[in-house]
Amino acid sequence: MAALIVSDRLPEPAGASPQGAAWQQLLRWQENAQQLAFVYTRSQGGLIHTGQGRLDQLTLDATTIEAGNSKLYIVLAGASYEAGPQLFFTPNLLSRFHVNGVAVRLANHDWLFLSDESLPAIGMESLRPRLAP
């Protein structure tokens, strides 16, 4: 007879429910007023907004990111969430690196990524010489 082995912590699949690990992470960040880096991109291009801020308000319908004197209001109704690393490239496309965080695929096909990490130190060491003139 074969034994079924189940991990204590299964990874969350892409598009998991808001009650999953990604949503819980967003709630923790909001509760702790955690400073986050964010990327917001339009599905049709033309807009990429990056910055740092805090999740001011967070509901299943919408969130507000407070970034300095500005607030970014994002409709979350119908969004899917994914916790885990996302791949980013340097501006010259010569290097790439992973950043852990929460990706939110919005119902209008826009994309929001939030992270409490910055570029890993090992990434910075290799990035600086490549960007130097």
Side-chain angles (χ1 to χ4, degrees), residues 96-114:
R96 64 180 190 259
F97 53 94
H98 284 92
V99 178
N100 282 314
V102 173
V104 183
R105 286 168 182 76
L106 303 170
N108 66 353
H109 305 291
D110 291 356
W111 184 74
L112 171 67
F113 179 73
L114 299 154

Side-chain angles (χ1 to χ4, degrees), residues 23-131:
W23 182 255
Q24 295 302 315
Q25 182 63 60
L26 292 174
L27 289 172
R28 278 192 297 278
W29 285 337
Q30 194 261 341
E31 182 180 294
N32 295 328
Q34 179 75 37
Q35 180 75 12
L36 303 170
F38 66 88
V39 177
Y40 182 92
T41 62
R42 295 295 313 240
S43 62
Q44 300 298 316
L47 172 73
I48 297 178
H49 187 74
T50 61
Q52 292 188 358
R54 290 173 172 51
L55 291 171
D56 183 39
Q57 296 181 4
L58 178 64
T59 69
L60 289 174
D61 294 322
T63 188
T64 304
I65 299 174
E66 188 175 289
N69 294 331
S70 303
K71 287 191 178 187
L72 180 62
Y73 180 81
I74 301 167
V75 175
L76 297 176
S80 62
Y81 303 84
E82 180 181 353
Q86 297 290 315
L87 183 64
F88 288 88
F89 292 87
T90 58
N92 59 14
L93 301 176
L94 294 176
S95 295
R96 64 180 190 259
F97 53 94
H98 284 92
V99 178
N100 282 314
V102 173
V104 183
R105 286 168 182 76
L106 303 170
N108 66 353
H109 305 291
D110 291 356
W111 184 74
L112 171 67
F113 179 73
L114 299 154
S115 177
D116 61 349
E117 289 189 354
S118 59
L119 185 63
I122 192 164
M124 284 301 292
E125 291 169 5
S126 63
L127 179 61
R128 282 191 187 112
R130 291 182 182 181
L131 294 178

